[in-house]
Short mmCIF file of all heavy atoms in Angstrom, two decimals:
data_model
loop_
_atom_site.label_atom_id
_atom_site.label_comp_id
_atom_site.label_asym_id
_atom_site.label_seq_id
_atom_site.Cartn_x
_atom_site.Cartn_y
_atom_site.Cartn_z
N LEU B 135 106.16 -23.00 63.91
CA LEU B 135 106.36 -21.86 63.02
C LEU B 135 106.60 -22.36 61.60
O LEU B 135 107.18 -23.43 61.39
CB LEU B 135 107.55 -21.01 63.46
CG LEU B 135 107.54 -20.53 64.91
CD1 LEU B 135 108.75 -19.64 65.17
CD2 LEU B 135 106.25 -19.80 65.25
N SER B 136 106.16 -21.59 60.63
CA SER B 136 106.33 -21.93 59.22
C SER B 136 107.03 -20.80 58.49
O SER B 136 106.84 -19.63 58.82
CB SER B 136 104.98 -22.21 58.56
OG SER B 136 104.30 -23.28 59.16
N CYS B 137 107.82 -21.16 57.51
CA CYS B 137 108.51 -20.20 56.64
C CYS B 137 108.30 -20.65 55.21
O CYS B 137 108.78 -21.72 54.82
CB CYS B 137 110.00 -20.16 56.98
SG CYS B 137 110.99 -19.10 55.90
N VAL B 138 107.58 -19.84 54.44
CA VAL B 138 107.23 -20.18 53.07
C VAL B 138 108.04 -19.30 52.12
O VAL B 138 108.02 -18.08 52.23
CB VAL B 138 105.73 -20.00 52.80
CG1 VAL B 138 105.40 -20.42 51.37
CG2 VAL B 138 104.91 -20.82 53.79
N ALA B 139 108.74 -19.93 51.19
CA ALA B 139 109.54 -19.21 50.21
C ALA B 139 108.76 -18.99 48.92
O ALA B 139 107.85 -19.75 48.59
CB ALA B 139 110.82 -19.98 49.91
N SER B 140 109.15 -17.95 48.20
CA SER B 140 108.46 -17.60 46.96
C SER B 140 108.77 -18.54 45.81
O SER B 140 108.10 -18.50 44.79
CB SER B 140 108.82 -16.16 46.56
OG SER B 140 110.22 -16.04 46.36
N GLU B 141 109.78 -19.36 45.98
CA GLU B 141 110.20 -20.27 44.93
C GLU B 141 110.94 -21.45 45.56
O GLU B 141 111.20 -21.44 46.76
CB GLU B 141 111.11 -19.56 43.93
CG GLU B 141 112.35 -18.95 44.57
CD GLU B 141 113.08 -17.99 43.67
OE1 GLU B 141 112.58 -16.86 43.51
OE2 GLU B 141 114.12 -18.39 43.11
N SER B 142 111.28 -22.43 44.74
CA SER B 142 112.04 -23.57 45.22
C SER B 142 113.50 -23.15 45.40
O SER B 142 114.23 -22.98 44.44
CB SER B 142 111.94 -24.74 44.25
OG SER B 142 110.60 -25.17 44.12
N ILE B 143 113.91 -23.02 46.66
CA ILE B 143 115.24 -22.50 46.96
C ILE B 143 116.12 -23.50 47.68
O ILE B 143 117.28 -23.21 47.98
CB ILE B 143 115.16 -21.23 47.81
CG1 ILE B 143 114.54 -21.54 49.18
CG2 ILE B 143 114.38 -20.14 47.08
CD1 ILE B 143 114.63 -20.39 50.16
N PHE B 144 115.61 -24.68 47.96
CA PHE B 144 116.31 -25.60 48.85
C PHE B 144 117.52 -26.25 48.21
O PHE B 144 118.33 -26.86 48.91
CB PHE B 144 115.34 -26.64 49.40
CG PHE B 144 114.22 -26.03 50.19
CD1 PHE B 144 112.91 -26.06 49.73
CD2 PHE B 144 114.49 -25.40 51.39
CE1 PHE B 144 111.89 -25.48 50.46
CE2 PHE B 144 113.47 -24.81 52.13
CZ PHE B 144 112.16 -24.85 51.65
N GLY B 145 117.68 -26.11 46.90
CA GLY B 145 118.91 -26.53 46.26
C GLY B 145 119.94 -25.43 46.19
O GLY B 145 121.05 -25.65 45.71
N VAL B 146 119.58 -24.24 46.66
CA VAL B 146 120.42 -23.05 46.57
C VAL B 146 120.79 -22.52 47.94
O VAL B 146 121.95 -22.17 48.19
CB VAL B 146 119.73 -21.95 45.74
CG1 VAL B 146 120.61 -20.71 45.65
CG2 VAL B 146 119.37 -22.47 44.36
N TYR B 147 119.82 -22.43 48.83
CA TYR B 147 120.01 -21.82 50.14
C TYR B 147 119.72 -22.80 51.27
O TYR B 147 118.87 -23.69 51.16
CB TYR B 147 119.09 -20.61 50.32
CG TYR B 147 119.38 -19.44 49.42
CD1 TYR B 147 118.59 -19.19 48.30
CD2 TYR B 147 120.45 -18.59 49.70
CE1 TYR B 147 118.85 -18.10 47.49
CE2 TYR B 147 120.71 -17.51 48.87
CZ TYR B 147 119.91 -17.27 47.77
OH TYR B 147 120.17 -16.20 46.96
N ASN B 148 120.41 -22.59 52.35
CA ASN B 148 120.05 -23.18 53.62
C ASN B 148 119.05 -22.24 54.29
O ASN B 148 118.94 -21.07 53.93
CB ASN B 148 121.30 -23.32 54.50
CG ASN B 148 122.45 -23.96 53.75
OD1 ASN B 148 122.51 -25.18 53.63
ND2 ASN B 148 123.36 -23.14 53.25
N ILE B 149 118.29 -22.76 55.25
CA ILE B 149 117.31 -21.93 55.95
C ILE B 149 117.60 -21.95 57.45
O ILE B 149 117.75 -23.01 58.04
CB ILE B 149 115.88 -22.41 55.70
CG1 ILE B 149 115.53 -22.32 54.21
CG2 ILE B 149 114.89 -21.58 56.53
CD1 ILE B 149 115.49 -20.90 53.67
N GLY B 150 117.67 -20.76 58.01
CA GLY B 150 117.88 -20.62 59.44
C GLY B 150 116.72 -19.92 60.11
O GLY B 150 116.01 -19.13 59.47
N TRP B 151 116.52 -20.22 61.37
CA TRP B 151 115.58 -19.51 62.21
C TRP B 151 116.35 -18.69 63.24
O TRP B 151 117.22 -19.23 63.93
CB TRP B 151 114.61 -20.44 62.92
CG TRP B 151 113.50 -20.95 62.07
CD1 TRP B 151 113.42 -22.14 61.42
CD2 TRP B 151 112.26 -20.28 61.81
NE1 TRP B 151 112.24 -22.25 60.76
CE2 TRP B 151 111.50 -21.12 60.98
CE3 TRP B 151 111.72 -19.05 62.19
CZ2 TRP B 151 110.23 -20.78 60.52
CZ3 TRP B 151 110.46 -18.70 61.73
CH2 TRP B 151 109.73 -19.56 60.90
N TYR B 152 116.04 -17.41 63.30
CA TYR B 152 116.62 -16.50 64.28
C TYR B 152 115.52 -16.02 65.22
O TYR B 152 114.34 -16.07 64.89
CB TYR B 152 117.24 -15.29 63.60
CG TYR B 152 118.55 -15.53 62.88
CD1 TYR B 152 118.60 -16.21 61.67
CD2 TYR B 152 119.74 -15.06 63.42
CE1 TYR B 152 119.80 -16.42 61.02
CE2 TYR B 152 120.94 -15.25 62.77
CZ TYR B 152 120.97 -15.93 61.57
OH TYR B 152 122.17 -16.12 60.92
N ARG B 153 115.93 -15.51 66.37
CA ARG B 153 114.97 -14.86 67.25
C ARG B 153 115.62 -13.65 67.90
O ARG B 153 116.82 -13.59 68.10
CB ARG B 153 114.45 -15.82 68.32
CG ARG B 153 115.48 -16.28 69.35
CD ARG B 153 114.85 -17.33 70.26
NE ARG B 153 115.77 -17.78 71.29
CZ ARG B 153 115.52 -18.78 72.13
NH1 ARG B 153 114.36 -19.44 72.05
NH2 ARG B 153 116.42 -19.12 73.04
N GLN B 154 114.78 -12.68 68.22
CA GLN B 154 115.25 -11.45 68.83
C GLN B 154 114.24 -10.98 69.88
O GLN B 154 113.08 -10.70 69.56
CB GLN B 154 115.44 -10.36 67.78
CG GLN B 154 116.08 -9.09 68.31
CD GLN B 154 116.50 -8.15 67.20
OE1 GLN B 154 115.91 -8.15 66.11
NE2 GLN B 154 117.52 -7.35 67.44
N ALA B 155 114.71 -10.91 71.12
CA ALA B 155 113.91 -10.39 72.21
C ALA B 155 114.20 -8.90 72.35
O ALA B 155 115.25 -8.41 71.92
CB ALA B 155 114.23 -11.13 73.51
N PRO B 156 113.29 -8.14 72.97
CA PRO B 156 113.51 -6.70 73.12
C PRO B 156 114.83 -6.40 73.82
O PRO B 156 115.15 -6.97 74.85
CB PRO B 156 112.32 -6.26 73.98
CG PRO B 156 111.25 -7.24 73.67
CD PRO B 156 111.97 -8.55 73.49
N GLY B 157 115.61 -5.50 73.23
CA GLY B 157 116.88 -5.11 73.81
C GLY B 157 118.01 -6.10 73.63
O GLY B 157 119.09 -5.88 74.18
N LYS B 158 117.78 -7.18 72.90
CA LYS B 158 118.79 -8.21 72.72
C LYS B 158 119.16 -8.37 71.26
O LYS B 158 118.48 -7.88 70.36
CB LYS B 158 118.30 -9.54 73.29
CG LYS B 158 118.06 -9.51 74.79
CD LYS B 158 117.66 -10.89 75.31
CE LYS B 158 117.45 -10.88 76.80
NZ LYS B 158 117.06 -12.23 77.31
N GLN B 159 120.26 -9.06 71.02
CA GLN B 159 120.72 -9.35 69.67
C GLN B 159 119.83 -10.38 69.00
O GLN B 159 119.13 -11.15 69.67
CB GLN B 159 122.16 -9.85 69.70
CG GLN B 159 123.18 -8.85 70.21
CD GLN B 159 124.59 -9.42 70.19
OE1 GLN B 159 124.78 -10.63 70.07
NE2 GLN B 159 125.57 -8.55 70.30
N ARG B 160 119.87 -10.38 67.68
CA ARG B 160 119.18 -11.40 66.92
C ARG B 160 120.09 -12.63 66.84
O ARG B 160 121.17 -12.57 66.26
CB ARG B 160 118.83 -10.89 65.52
CG ARG B 160 117.99 -11.86 64.71
CD ARG B 160 117.55 -11.26 63.38
NE ARG B 160 116.69 -10.11 63.56
CZ ARG B 160 116.07 -9.49 62.56
NH1 ARG B 160 116.21 -9.92 61.32
NH2 ARG B 160 115.32 -8.43 62.81
#
């Protein structure tokens, strides 16, 4: 999987991956 940001954010934000199955929490 890939996540592309609109700008250079890696000095500002951390990046997390979440997942959500039907009927379950993210």
Side-chain angles (χ1 to χ4, degrees):
L135 306 183
S136 299
C137 175
V138 182
S140 60
E141 58 193 76
S142 298
I143 64 170
F144 299 112
V146 180
Y147 293 103
N148 311 278
I149 298 295
W151 281 98
Y152 286 74
R153 67 185 182 187
Q154 187 169 28
K158 297 184 178 180
Q159 296 181 344
R160 185 175 297 187

